[in-house]
Amino acid sequence: MALTLACGGGGGGDAASATNGGASNPQHVGVTVLAGILGASSAGVSDGTGTAARFQTPCNAVTDASGYTYVTDMNNQAIRKISPQGAVSTFAGQKLYSGYADGQGASVRFSLPAGIALDPSGNLVVSEIGNYTIRRISPTGVTTTLAGSPGQPGTSDGQGSDAQFARPISLAVDASGSIFVADSNSHTI
């Protein structure tokens, strides 16, 4: 079964869609809260297990081969990690501290991380709306910038800092490691 979640605020399609065994029918798929608590007043920044954890605009998620789920917690400016048992921790970024910095753990700064995918080597790839960048996070949590220039929106093809994005909202990585970025303000992939 594959489950795709999308953060609010526009875009075509459903907020959640699911497929099971090739058949697409969300009415036949069970949905369970893994972490956090339902309700508009439950937003927050707490790490913890199950309902003790709090998120603030969890946007996208991806699960690795070991069963850990990584979430772009957009308004908390962090990448959160959920164990298969539902324990939530902050993997990269410092909750509520927006900015731009590569590094590891809490020294990393994000500005509105949105899309997230895994590359063939097990690295996370994150699209960042507020910094107009694509970032890579190694399995040990080391974050580097792959493409774009922080604070410089644009619409230029290129490699590394020569590439420019207007609003990199989502992304996907194929089996060869190629990254496809949905840049919503430039209406391009």
Side-chain angles (χ1 to χ4, degrees):
M1 179 212 296
L3 180 65
T4 303
L5 303 173
C7 53
D14 297 328
S17 63
T19 59
N20 189 2
S24 179
N25 189 343
Q27 295 175 352
H28 298 288
V29 176
V31 175
T32 302
V33 174
L34 177 62
I37 190 167
L38 296 173
S41 64
S42 65
V45 299
S46 302
D47 288 341
T49 300
T51 58
R54 296 291 183 271
F55 297 89
Q56 188 165 309
T57 318
C59 198
N60 284 289
V62 65
T63 301
D64 69 14
S66 299
Y68 287 87
T69 300
Y70 298 86
V71 178
T72 53
D73 196 357
M74 192 161 64
N75 287 337
N76 275 332
Q77 317 301 343
I79 308 304
R80 309 289 289 282
K81 181 178 180 179
I82 307 173
S83 75
Q85 298 76 30
V88 177
S89 59
T90 301
F91 187 61
Q94 187 172 3
K95 296 173 291 202
L96 298 177
Y97 286 90
S98 179
Y100 173 80
D102 286 340
Q104 187 170 14
S107 69
V108 175
R109 294 292 178 270
F110 293 102
S111 180
L112 305 175
I116 191 166
L118 279 166
D119 74 11
S121 299
N123 297 299
L124 295 169
V125 182
V126 175
S127 63
E128 204 178 356
I129 296 171
N131 281 326
Y132 316 104
T133 59
I134 306 302
R135 313 280 286 279
R136 179 183 326 181
I137 307 171
S138 75
T140 59
V142 175
T143 301
T144 56
T145 302
L146 288 178
S149 293
Q152 297 186 20
T155 56
S156 298
D157 287 346
Q159 293 186 6
S161 61
D162 290 336
Q164 288 186 311
F165 304 96
R167 186 179 167 90
I169 190 81
S170 187
L171 50 77
V173 180
D174 71 11
S176 70
S178 295
I179 301 168
F180 300 89
V181 178
D183 195 353
S184 65
N185 280 6
S186 69
H187 313 286
T188 60
I189 305 294

